[in-house]
Amino acid sequence: MSAPGGTIESERRLRSLRHRGGGRRKAKAWWLNHNTMDLAGALIALAAFRLPEAVLEQAGPFASAASAVIAIMAALGTFGCGMIYQSSAPVIRRARGRFGRQIQRAWIWVISIVLLGAMVSLGGVAVASLNPTLAWALTLGALGVASLATWRVVAYIQFVLTAEAIKPGE
């Protein structure tokens, strides 16, 4: 007997993949369900207050480069979003139907926070000549938050690729 949109065997395989990893898997699931935990990445900004003077002088170029890296993270976010919504895997279709609002909120969060991080990093370029420590703090905080949001995207991409690898009826 097959489940709607897939076979029982493909469901079992996906369940077995989900349950590997024990506590690490539970922590990852908890983190994926709490979007605002990405803001913890801003704690790296505290490192700016411990940087030597020679490093502080490079605040402008670093903020500029960081905003470019964050823009690449935003591109990865939109790519991951497209993967979820264009996937034809039965498991992903059911997930979209069952958790549509949560998935929508997660993608709005990721794309918004990464774009905000790029703008904050560009603000670091403007502030660099006035206060290099503040510029470093802004840039490092933006990089930390955008990095955690991008890890969320990577987790979703991994889920889609795993689901796509399971062939119904095998």
Side-chain angles (χ1 to χ4, degrees), residues 8 32 37 90-91 101 106 142 151 158:
I8 292 174
L32 284 172
M37 287 307 300
V91 175
R101 296 285 293 155
W151 278 114
Q158 179 186 11

Side-chain angles (χ1 to χ4, degrees), residues 6-170:
T7 66
I8 292 174
E9 184 58 33
S10 65
E11 296 276 332
R12 283 186 193 136
R13 272 195 244 158
L14 188 63
R15 251 186 249 118
S16 73
L17 288 172
R18 264 196 308 245
H19 294 297
R20 290 183 196 158
R24 184 179 65 114
R25 179 73 58 187
K26 289 179 185 176
K28 183 178 177 182
W30 184 85
W31 171 67
L32 284 172
N33 289 326
H34 295 85
N35 294 332
T36 54
M37 287 307 300
D38 294 343
L39 296 176
L43 293 175
I44 196 169
L46 297 174
F49 298 100
R50 304 287 296 167
L51 293 174
E53 190 65 37
V55 174
L56 288 174
E57 293 172 1
Q58 300 302 317
F62 179 75
S64 179
S67 66
V69 169
I70 294 172
I72 292 170
M73 292 177 185
L76 179 63
T78 56
F79 172 74
C81 180
M83 280 185 73
I84 283 242
Y85 287 109
Q86 293 176 4
S87 176
S88 60
V91 175
I92 300 297
R93 286 197 318 251
R94 279 194 307 279
R96 284 192 311 250
R98 190 175 197 184
F99 303 107
R101 296 285 293 155
Q102 287 173 299
I103 293 171
Q104 179 186 21
R105 274 185 257 142
W107 287 116
I108 289 170
W109 168 262
V110 165
I111 292 170
S112 300
I113 204 71
V114 171
L115 289 176
L116 180 65
M119 290 187 287
V120 167
S121 186
L122 284 175
V125 173
V127 173
S129 62
L130 303 172
N131 188 340
T133 304
L134 177 62
W136 272 96
L138 288 172
T139 304
L140 288 173
L143 267 174
V145 171
S147 295
L148 286 180
T150 303
W151 278 114
R152 182 178 304 282
V153 171
V154 170
Y156 278 116
I157 290 173
Q158 179 186 11
F159 176 61
V160 171
L161 292 176
T162 301
E164 291 281 345
I166 298 172
K167 302 290 184 220
E170 287 183 3

